[in-house]
Every structure is written in C-alpha cells, then in structure tokens.
Amino acid sequence: MPHTQTLSPTFTPTFAHVPPGPLAGPLRLLPVNAEMVAVHTANGAHVGSLKKVGGVWKFKAMGYGASGGMEPGHGPLTEQHNMQFATPDATEVSARLLGALGSAL
C-alpha cells in the first residue's frame, strides 16, 4: 500500500485500555491485509483500524475495557468512528484523527 508507515524495530503494538487524554502521535499504520490497516499511537496502543468498505477507507474506533476485552466503536477516538479517507496515508490519518481529538502531533 502506498504511503503506509511501517513499524520500526522499537514499535511494540499493545492491546489494552487507553486512558482519556491526549494520544501519543503521530499515529502508526500496520497493514493487516489488502482491506484493513491497524491504527496505533506512537507508543504502540491500538486505537482502531482503517477498513476498506465499498472502495472507501473508513476508520473504525477500538477501545479496550479495564478487563482487557475489545470494545468496537469505543476508545479515545470514538468521535472519529467512520471518518473516511481516500487512502491509508499515515500522515493524513494521523493529522485528521489527532486534529479532531485535539492531540499534539
């Protein structure tokens, strides 16, 4: 996928509850398959995915409860759930999602 940021050796994806507040940016994209890209904060926390639906990339927010269970449509980027993108471009995704949240890039 063009413009998809790849993981650095120091990047460790985590799948746990993210407390309210600013997110560590820029966001990182981890390709899962041709139609899904995981979205993680700069420090590795999973906050959602980009899914290709009908030719459009849509952000799907993901949260995790205190017990560690997945909560689709929740998490720190809940308000951006279903935000649309033309491509999974890491720079644009980070700017738009974090900009809407008010987090520093």
Side-chain angles (χ1 to χ4, degrees):
M1 275 176 241
H3 307 290
T4 300
Q5 184 174 345
T6 58
L7 297 178
S8 69
T10 60
F11 176 73
T12 303
T14 58
F15 303 89
H17 176 73
V18 176
L23 294 178
L27 298 176
R28 297 179 180 238
L29 304 183
L30 175 60
V32 175
N33 60 42
E35 297 190 358
M36 183 160 50
V37 177
V39 179
H40 294 265
T41 63
N43 60 2
H46 181 239
V47 292
S49 300
L50 291 174
K51 291 186 178 181
K52 195 171 189 180
V53 180
V56 176
W57 290 93
K58 292 186 179 183
F59 176 72
K60 301 297 184 177
M62 179 63 68
Y64 294 86
S67 64
M70 294 174 68
E71 297 177 344
H74 293 276
L77 295 173
T78 297
E79 297 300 317
Q80 286 73 260
H81 190 75
N82 284 325
M83 184 180 279
Q84 297 183 9
F85 297 88
T87 63
D89 178 83
T91 302
E92 178 188 2
V93 169
S94 186
R96 288 184 57 205
L97 289 177
L98 293 180
L101 185 65
S103 291
L105 294 178

